[in-house]
Amino acid sequence: MAGVKFPQKGLPAAELKSLLHDLKSNDMDWRNYRAFSMVFRAGEDVADIVMSALGEYVFENGLSPFAFPSLLRMETEVVAMTADLLNGGETAAGNMTSGGTESIMMAVKAARDYAREKKPEIKAPELVMLRSAHPAFNKAAHFLGLKTVIVPVSDASVVDLDVYRKAFSPNTVFAVGSAFSYPHGIIDPIGEMAAIASEKGVWFHVDSCVGGFILPFMEKLGHPIPPFDFRVPGVTSMSADVHKYGYVSKGASVVLYRDADLRKYQLFVYADWSGGVYATPCISGARPGGPVAASWAVMKFLGYEGYMRLAAEAMQATKILIEGVNKIPGIFIIGKPLATTFGVGSKSLNVYAIGDKMKQRGWHIDSQHLPPSLHFTVSPMHLKVVEPCLKDLREAVQEVSAMKPEDVSGDAAIYGMIGSMPDRSQAKEITTQ
Ligand SMILES: Cc1ncc(COP(=O)(O)O)c(C=O)c1O
């Protein structure tokens, strides 16, 4: 980078600390509860536990279970607690990873290597996913040499199961459903999708990166959540992020397999290194101890009861927001989100311009396309701001309703262009890349 050189002299600690603080001045301010993505918030008591655990384990290295048996113990317990939550029974096995993407990467790698062993005739393995599934699957396929077969979803984010079935070929080694998807919070028909995969003899993964630590509690609270976990026959593996609705800081996810035999396809061992036998379960070598300790500590701190309370609060905030959006003429909720994430679309207004107006009022709401929409991921702490948020949204919509198309500028115009591109699902039923 031009102009940046390695510093000759160090800075005094106090100056450095204030510099670090100042550097954040243009960052998204998530502390005021006005952001609906990126950071999941449960409250100061949980944040305090996270900070203590991170502080306690900040330099520990999860690479060696011999040097740090406490980290191995905590990881084993976090995996076991997550398997219990997702009905994996006594047989489920897994690991902690750095996040959803790594968990997904490991599941795809395990499925690929499983197929290499069981179906050696497959030379060009394929991965079947819906357009609404997270791009971490495209990334995993790209890294691991699989071809993606993308199945379209409707504008309400619903899959046509006949089209889904046709996406499978003799080369399919991995298929995925989301519970729930990020863009619109839709729970895919996991039972039906897993049954199709199972009929074809294909590994089926449930991506519960966002949903894994809230859907089980919502179900217990009596919300109508269709079965999405290991209770569903045909579900081979799952991903669930502790750094989302588990309320831990970033760097914590769990990948789970129906049994330990399947997990072994994820592992890497090299015995001929001059440094000794090198064995790692996931992608990273050295692994930060902090996220493991924080996950263990928050699960123990909150317990089932604490997570139930937080799920109820997040659901209440979501209900108020969704009911409020439904009362604002010109905008609507996309599809039928059952949980705490949703998209807001419009047939007549430029939603990106609405997002810009919200930004001017201090809200951070991401834009999405296919179809154009604004994204809301709701945390329990949003209960504090739902009314001002709806008031500002009403005003923003009114202002945009009064705008002429030529008045739409900046980000909104650019996103608007993307949003007005033809929906590719109309052109091709299934696209491959
Ligand atoms: C449904 C879903 N899967 C996977 C991921 C990837 O997780 P990460 O960003 O932790 O790698 C996300 C991230 O938002 C997600 O929402």
Side-chain angles (χ1 to χ4, degrees):
M1 259 163 70
V4 179
K5 300 269 186 264
F6 199 87
Q8 282 298 320
K9 285 188 176 183
L11 289 176
E15 190 182 330
L16 195 79
K17 284 180 190 174
S18 92
L19 199 59
L20 277 172
H21 188 76
D22 294 348
L23 270 173
K24 299 170 89 174
S25 60
N26 287 328
D27 289 357
M28 175 178 111
D29 186 359
W30 51 270
R31 286 192 166 79
N32 63 9
Y33 315 114
R34 288 181 161 237
F36 284 94
S37 62
M38 300 289 163
V39 181
F40 291 71
R41 300 202 61 193
E44 290 315 311
D45 54 348
V46 176
D48 186 50
I49 296 294
V50 170
M51 302 283 275
S52 305
L54 289 180
E56 193 74 44
Y57 276 86
V58 70
F59 289 112
E60 273 71 2
N61 184 352
L63 176 62
S64 170
F66 306 110
F68 301 109
S70 65
L71 282 175
L72 176 65
R73 178 181 159 187
M74 284 189 284
E75 176 176 358
T76 307
E77 291 192 15
V78 166
V79 170
M81 288 188 274
T82 310
D84 183 36
L85 199 59
L86 299 175
N87 294 295
E90 292 296 310
T91 58
N95 275 99
M96 285 197 72
T97 69
S98 61
T101 302
E102 191 181 353
S103 288
I104 287 165
M105 193 76 69
M106 297 330 299
V108 175
K109 191 241 179 230
R112 185 201 63 178
D113 290 1
Y114 177 82
R116 275 183 183 165
E117 190 180 299
K118 308 283 179 195
K119 300 178 184 173
E121 68 282 7
I122 298 181
K123 301 292 179 223
E126 293 175 5
L127 179 159
V128 173
M129 61 189 280
L130 307 190
R131 189 181 69 194
S132 50
H134 196 273
F137 292 95
N138 305 76
K139 191 172 179 176
H142 178 70
F143 282 16
L144 294 162
L146 278 74
K147 185 171 97 171
T148 53
V149 178
I150 317 277
V151 180
V153 289
S154 69
D155 275 357
S157 217
V158 176
V159 62
D160 176 334
L161 287 169
D162 288 334
V163 177
Y164 183 70
R165 179 188 293 276
K166 286 187 196 131
F168 286 73
S169 85
N171 286 332
T172 310
V173 302
F174 187 95
V176 53
S178 306
F180 39 96
S181 70
Y182 179 82
H184 311 123
I186 305 298
I187 303 177
D188 292 335
I190 297 298
E192 290 84 345
M193 290 166 78
I196 292 171
S198 173
E199 183 192 307
K200 308 266 182 193
V202 168
W203 182 299
F204 187 79
H205 181 86
V206 176
D207 180 13
S208 284
C209 280
V210 219
F213 285 96
I214 193 158
L215 289 178
F217 305 108
M218 287 176 55
E219 191 182 335
K220 196 80 177 169
L221 286 164
H223 292 277
I225 305 298
F228 69 97
D229 58 20
F230 285 109
R231 282 170 297 181
V232 178
V235 171
T236 320
S237 57
M238 295 190 71
S239 44
D241 291 357
V242 202
H243 68 200
K244 294 191 171 80
Y245 282 109
Y247 306 115
V248 165
S249 53
K250 296 302 176 219
S253 171
V254 174
V255 59
L256 287 173
Y257 301 89
R258 189 172 275 282
D259 60 49
D261 233 27
L262 296 165
R263 175 182 167 266
K264 77 173 194 250
Y265 294 94
Q266 157 195 312
L267 311 176
F268 175 81
V269 183
Y270 183 63
D272 297 334
W273 182 39
S274 39
V277 175
Y278 185 86
T280 56
C282 302
I283 292 179
S284 41
R287 293 206 288 165
V292 175
S295 299
W296 184 88
V298 171
M299 285 183 194
K300 294 275 184 192
F301 176 69
L302 284 173
Y304 209 96
E305 286 175 6
Y307 277 109
M308 289 271 281
R309 172 179 53 79
L310 292 167
E313 286 172 16
M315 268 319 283
Q316 197 190 339
T318 309
K319 187 167 176 276
I320 297 171
L321 285 169
I322 287 183
E323 284 174 2
V325 168
N326 282 334
K327 283 189 195 135
I328 302 177
I331 57 172
F332 60 87
I333 302 290
I334 295 191
K336 289 197 172 59
L338 295 180
T340 46
T341 289
F342 60 90
V344 173
S346 176
K347 293 246 181 280
S348 52
L349 303 173
N350 183 325
V351 286
Y352 307 124
I354 298 170
D356 283 352
K357 296 278 175 204
M358 290 299 278
K359 193 172 173 192
Q360 287 161 16
R361 289 166 167 79
W363 300 94
H364 180 98
I365 301 169
D366 287 337
S367 299
Q368 314 184 117
H369 73 160
L370 302 174
S373 62
L374 299 175
H375 176 87
F376 288 79
T377 288
V378 183
S379 282
M381 289 298 109
H382 283 126
L383 249 189
K384 294 178 189 290
V385 296
V386 282
E387 294 305 344
C389 178
L390 284 170
K391 177 179 164 288
D392 283 353
L393 191 58
R394 265 189 299 274
E395 284 175 18
V397 170
Q398 272 165 13
E399 282 178 25
V400 173
S401 305
M403 279 164 84
K404 296 193 209 82
E406 58 269 29
D407 295 337
V408 176
S409 62
D411 286 355
I414 294 162
Y415 280 119
M417 239 167 62
I418 296 168
S420 64
M421 281 184 345
D423 183 341
R424 287 164 302 158
S425 68
Q426 307 293 318
K428 279 191 200 167
E429 255 194 354
I430 296 170
T431 60
T432 54
Q433 57 183 43

